[in-house]
Amino acid sequence: MTTNAIILYLMNYAHFIVKAKANIEIATTLYQKALQLGSDHPSLLANYAHFLMTYHEETGSKKGHALHEAQNYFERALKAVPNNIQWILWYAKCLKRSHKVAQAELMYRVAVDKSSGQSRMEPIAICNYGTFIFNHRKDTTKAMALLQNGLTTYPAHRGLLKNYGHMVKQLNKASSKTSQESKL
């Protein structure tokens, strides 16, 4: 078995252990063993960064430290493979959780730009960016336009439909509340 095959096995097994057994400790050990074998393996770096970002509390890491560490792993992975849309989206989410909103927005835009024309990833990138704009920038016009454009190209995409519906519901709720307050 090659070193690359062992790294992939350890990484995939760590992912399985987390999802099927919810055993963060064993998954952490598996990721660390894989990193000892290939500390520059892009897929390992990105997946470990995602693991740190997602399970930082369970690993015993402080949130700030785990997110900073995850950012470093994401940056190394993206330096090696700059066009991986999933990793860019994970990195943007990590930046957002670290309160680096401007950097997160930039990465969401990069994901939308790089995913253009990719039927699997473009609608996901649009969903993520539109939701970010709606929730963090409070720019409902831009967020709705982004999702409407996405729905023009991908009218049956469940994520786009769900996010668009959620935004419409939120706007209707806010509008109803404002209307009721003005009557008082």
Side-chain angles (χ1 to χ4, degrees):
M1 206 173 205
T2 66
T3 302
N4 190 53
I6 294 169
I7 291 169
L8 292 174
Y9 173 80
L10 290 169
M11 180 182 69
N12 290 328
Y13 192 52
H15 182 75
F16 167 77
I17 289 294
V18 168
K19 295 296 180 186
K21 306 290 184 185
N23 193 322
I24 305 303
E25 187 177 327
I26 290 175
T28 301
T29 301
L30 290 167
Y31 274 120
Q32 289 171 348
K33 286 184 184 289
L35 285 166
Q36 289 171 356
L37 292 172
S39 63
D40 291 330
H41 192 284
S43 186
L44 173 61
L45 295 170
N47 280 280
Y48 184 57
H50 186 258
F51 171 79
L52 286 172
M53 176 183 71
T54 306
Y55 299 102
H56 62 83
E57 292 172 352
E58 292 88 342
T59 63
S61 298
K62 291 184 179 179
K63 182 179 179 181
H65 176 72
L67 292 175
H68 179 72
E69 193 176 359
Q71 287 170 41
N72 289 334
Y73 283 113
F74 279 129
E75 288 165 7
R76 289 173 53 198
L78 288 167
K79 187 174 183 179
V81 183
N83 293 323
N84 188 305
I85 308 307
Q86 184 64 60
W87 299 352
I88 294 169
L89 290 170
W90 286 349
Y91 182 44
K93 187 175 187 178
C94 184
L95 290 166
K96 180 182 68 177
R97 287 183 179 178
S98 299
H99 307 288
K100 296 179 178 180
V101 177
Q103 288 174 282
E105 183 171 2
L106 174 64
M107 295 313 297
Y108 282 121
R109 280 197 314 247
V110 166
V112 169
D113 290 345
K114 288 187 181 231
S115 67
S116 181
Q118 296 181 27
S119 62
R120 186 168 103 49
M121 291 307 298
E122 184 178 26
I124 295 169
I126 291 169
C127 279
N128 279 268
Y129 186 39
T131 301
F132 174 84
I133 293 297
F134 187 82
N135 291 330
H136 294 278
R137 292 295 188 205
K138 308 295 185 204
D139 187 341
T140 57
T141 304
K142 183 175 180 179
M144 295 297 282
L146 190 64
L147 291 180
Q148 287 169 344
N149 287 338
L151 283 167
T152 299
T153 307
Y154 305 100
H157 191 272
R158 288 187 304 194
L160 286 169
L161 290 167
K162 178 183 168 195
N163 287 16
Y164 185 76
H166 176 74
M167 286 181 198
V168 168
K169 190 183 286 186
Q170 292 288 81
L171 291 172
N172 286 340
K173 190 185 292 185
S175 175
S176 175
K177 185 177 177 182
T178 303
S179 174
Q180 288 175 356
E181 289 173 354
S182 68
K183 290 179 182 177
L184 298 176

